[in-house]
Amino acid sequence: LIKMRDVTKVYPLGQTEVHALRGVNVSIKKGEFISIIGPSGSGKSTLMHIIGCLDVATSGTYFLRGKDVSKMDGNQLADIRKEFIGFIFQDFYLLPDVPAWYNVSLPMIYNRVAPKERKKKAVVILESVGLGDRVNHLPNQLSGGERQRVAIARALANEPEIIIADEPTGNLDSVRGEEILEILSDLHEKGKTIIIVSHEKYVAERGKRKIYLKDGRVEGKN
Amino acid sequence: LIKMRDVTKVYPLGQTEVHALRGVNVSIKKGEFISIIGPSGSGKSTLMHIIGCLDVATSGTYFLRGKDVSKMDGNQLADIRKEFIGFIFQDFYLLPDVPAWYNVSLPMIYNRVAPKERKKKAVVILESVGLGDRVNHLPNQLSGGERQRVAIARALANEPEIIIADEPTGNLDSVRGEEILEILSDLHEKGKTIIIVSHEKYVAERGKRKIYLKDGRVEGKN
Ligand SMILES: Nc1ncnc2c1ncn2[C@@H]1O[C@H](COP(=O)(O)OP(=O)(O)OP(=O)(O)O)[C@@H](O)[C@H]1O
Ligand SMILES: Nc1ncnc2c1ncn2[C@@H]1O[C@H](COP(=O)(O)OP(=O)(O)OP(=O)(O)O)[C@@H](O)[C@H]1O
Ligand SMILES: [Mg+2]
Ligand SMILES: [Mg+2]
């Protein structure tokens, strides 16, 4: 499903450059549950953004579902994200001026789900993450962990093939964290591919296979 | 140092209200190291914002250093924050368009530290949190955990009497997390008062005393 070879990512910074990824090889099969682990600043989010077609590599090849993504333009990448990928961002990235249910329904708008249907489905997903009584709250009317759960609910809205979760439990207590892991495990059992970044052991342990990142390189055989 | 009696916080929300704190009694002595623990949405950040004079209670009394804060206006609260309190926000709240060192130097500007001195001190604090080679990065040129560490460095800039840390390790691996805890422990040994919210056990365990919050109430004797 995912095949990356010699992927690098260099960020320009004034007169210098930051080498966030220094030649990464990653292969992930359909239906796997993978954990990406590594120190802060090691390149995990950078790698996740490239896997999720939110950013392009500086060099190297990336075949997703057999197609070479590194040759695609912005519109083609947006189509792929819309159809196959659900992304839980480390910073949530919720629209600030609309209620929680509307944030969750956003991916459904791209996929042309009828308006009434969208709100109904959004409320069901919000209930599944414990926010049934917060559906009309704006992001700034929610706690940190509640905002994080809205971001998780949004990523699941279209039942995407691939779910990319970047530190999904950073603001959640272990009870809420386990609830989120249960949801991801259920989706995994339904055949979805799950890729999770987490510095919390009880979360990273859920991955059937672990990819260790350090200083922009993958450690060990992969 | 901190004495709160029957503190409530009600957020208006359209036609309804959200009772985030329902009559909280909290007493904290100078030099204590306290952990505030509780489920997502239980009122921890709300309580921290009131303790840190960033928000006012709806009712109840709050004496800080012997003075009744609930009677103060915005300017008086800002003066207290400037002089005594360092706040590590759950959402970081860094200025997006200035480099990391400038974000760290902000509290020093309020306290009239000379410009050259400010940058020097800011770089020293950034080195202490492992960001010596990221001092000129803007927030969007930093990883999640790096932004969190800039927010931590900023809270320590003026060596405040009281440090309020809301989920300070949510984006940090355990090595970086322990480094932050070491810094807070050192400040505690110097006599500073530390109040920390964390859902991660290894962080909450550092508090010498724990306050449990659930549904806006403090559980047990306090
Ligand atoms: N501005 C607001 N308007 C309405 N409700 C709010 C507002 N801010 C917070 N709330 C609600 O108040 C409750 C307490 O919020 P608070 O942020 O204090 O929780 P918390 O314990 O810090 O949670 P977390 O662990 O998820 O960060 C939450 O359920 C939240 O939905
Ligand atoms: N836009 C950018 N410009 C310059 N450097 C950047 C940019 N974005 C990220 N970096 C740098 O690239 C490195 C990798 O960042 P990345 O966000 O992938 O790390 P991470 O492993 O997700 O870290 P964390 O666990 O703290 O979230 C970091 O050291 C960061 O400073
Ligand atoms: Mg990251
Ligand atoms: Mg909070």
Side-chain angles (χ1 to χ4, degrees):
Chain A
L1 182 65
I2 287 168
K3 199 159 187 145
M4 292 177 136
R5 285 282 162 277
D6 299 326
V7 163
T8 68
K9 181 68 185 177
V10 180
Y11 294 113
L13 188 74
Q15 302 305 311
T16 69
E17 291 176 333
V18 176
H19 291 255
L21 295 176
R22 299 165 188 269
V24 166
N25 297 326
V26 169
S27 296
I28 299 175
K29 292 193 192 70
K30 188 168 165 20
E32 281 203 88
F33 192 142
I34 303 278
S35 292
I36 297 183
I37 303 172
S40 170
S42 55
K44 303 180 296 297
S45 296
T46 301
L47 178 59
M48 295 287 253
H49 283 70
I50 293 172
I51 290 175
C53 297
L54 285 153
D55 196 1
V56 281
T58 304
S59 71
T61 59
Y62 172 25
F63 283 83
L64 174 63
R65 307 177 82 251
K67 293 202 179 78
D68 185 355
V69 165
S70 37
K71 302 265 173 308
M72 291 186 186
D73 66 19
N75 285 334
Q76 288 168 301
L77 292 175
D79 284 346
I80 290 180
R81 288 197 305 264
K82 214 166 66 180
E83 220 175 315
F84 299 112
I85 300 172
F87 207 109
I88 301 168
F89 291 91
Q90 193 169 4
D91 294 343
F92 314 162
Y93 288 137
L94 301 175
L95 290 188
D97 304 322
V98 295
W101 73 263
Y102 190 85
N103 266 289
V104 172
S105 76
L106 271 177
M108 296 179 213
I109 298 173
Y110 299 138
N111 278 356
R112 309 202 189 313
V113 174
K116 267 205 203 106
E117 192 57 32
R118 284 199 306 254
K119 179 163 188 181
K120 234 193 299 181
K121 278 182 84 171
V123 170
V124 169
I125 303 175
L126 281 170
E127 281 167 354
S128 78
V129 294
L131 290 176
D133 58 348
R134 295 279 184 269
V135 294
N136 293 313
H137 284 230
L138 296 187
N140 69 352
Q141 296 170 333
L142 291 169
S143 79
E146 291 169 348
R147 281 194 292 273
Q148 185 151 36
R149 284 180 274 157
V150 174
I152 291 166
R154 180 188 57 196
L156 307 179
N158 279 341
E159 299 199 8
E161 282 306 308
I162 304 169
I163 294 165
I164 299 179
D166 197 345
E167 294 287 355
T169 62
N171 288 278
L172 298 179
D173 55 278
S174 54
V175 171
R176 290 294 179 199
E178 288 290 353
E179 279 174 17
I180 299 306
L181 289 174
E182 270 319 297
I183 293 171
L184 293 179
S185 286
D186 284 352
L187 290 166
H188 177 234
E189 272 157 37
K190 279 185 194 157
K192 308 295 182 188
T193 306
I194 315 274
I195 305 169
I196 199 166
V197 165
S198 179
H199 69 275
E200 295 194 79
K201 260 206 174 48
Y202 81 95
V203 177
E205 287 307 313
R206 285 286 189 123
K208 305 285 172 273
R209 185 158 67 93
K210 296 182 186 59
I211 296 177
Y212 295 90
L213 216 56
K214 195 171 176 205
D215 272 341
R217 287 177 213 282
V218 172
E219 300 218 307
K221 185 184 137 352
N222 176 34
Chain B
L1 181 67
I2 287 167
K3 201 159 187 144
M4 291 177 136
R5 287 284 162 275
D6 299 325
V7 163
T8 68
K9 181 68 185 178
V10 180
Y11 293 113
L13 188 75
Q15 302 305 311
T16 68
E17 292 176 330
V18 176
H19 291 254
L21 296 177
R22 300 165 188 269
V24 166
N25 297 326
V26 169
S27 296
I28 299 176
K29 291 192 193 70
K30 188 168 164 21
E32 282 203 89
F33 191 142
I34 304 278
S35 293
I36 297 182
I37 303 172
S40 171
S42 55
K44 303 180 296 297
S45 295
T46 302
L47 178 59
M48 295 287 254
H49 283 70
I50 293 173
I51 291 176
C53 298
L54 285 153
D55 196 2
V56 281
T58 304
S59 71
T61 60
Y62 172 26
F63 283 84
L64 174 63
R65 308 177 82 251
K67 292 202 180 77
D68 185 354
V69 166
S70 35
K71 301 264 174 306
M72 290 186 186
D73 66 20
N75 285 334
Q76 288 168 300
L77 291 176
D79 284 346
I80 290 180
R81 287 197 304 266
K82 214 166 63 181
E83 221 175 314
F84 300 111
I85 300 172
F87 207 109
I88 301 168
F89 291 92
Q90 192 169 4
D91 293 344
F92 314 163
Y93 287 136
L94 300 176
L95 290 188
D97 304 323
V98 295
W101 72 262
Y102 190 85
N103 265 291
V104 172
S105 76
L106 271 177
M108 297 179 213
I109 298 173
Y110 298 139
N111 279 355
R112 309 208 188 317
V113 175
K116 266 205 200 108
E117 192 58 30
R118 285 200 305 254
K119 181 165 187 180
K120 235 193 294 178
K121 279 182 84 172
V123 170
V124 168
I125 301 175
L126 280 170
E127 281 166 353
S128 77
V129 295
L131 290 175
D133 59 347
R134 295 278 184 271
V135 294
N136 294 313
H137 283 231
L138 297 186
N140 68 351
Q141 295 170 334
L142 292 169
S143 78
E146 291 170 348
R147 282 194 291 272
Q148 184 151 38
R149 285 180 273 157
V150 174
I152 291 166
R154 179 187 56 196
L156 308 179
N158 279 339
E159 299 198 9
E161 283 305 308
I162 304 170
I163 295 165
I164 299 179
D166 197 345
E167 294 288 355
T169 62
N171 288 277
L172 298 180
D173 54 278
S174 53
V175 171
R176 289 295 178 199
E178 287 292 352
E179 280 173 19
I180 299 307
L181 288 174
E182 271 318 299
I183 293 171
L184 293 179
S185 286
D186 285 353
L187 289 166
H188 177 234
E189 272 158 35
K190 280 185 192 158
K192 308 295 183 189
T193 305
I194 315 273
I195 305 169
I196 198 165
V197 165
S198 180
H199 69 276
E200 295 195 82
K201 262 207 174 48
Y202 80 96
V203 177
E205 287 307 316
R206 286 285 189 123
K208 305 285 171 276
R209 182 158 68 94
K210 296 181 186 61
I211 296 176
Y212 296 90
L213 215 56
K214 196 171 175 204
D215 272 340
R217 289 195 175 81
V218 172
E219 299 218 307
K221 188 184 135 350
N222 176 30

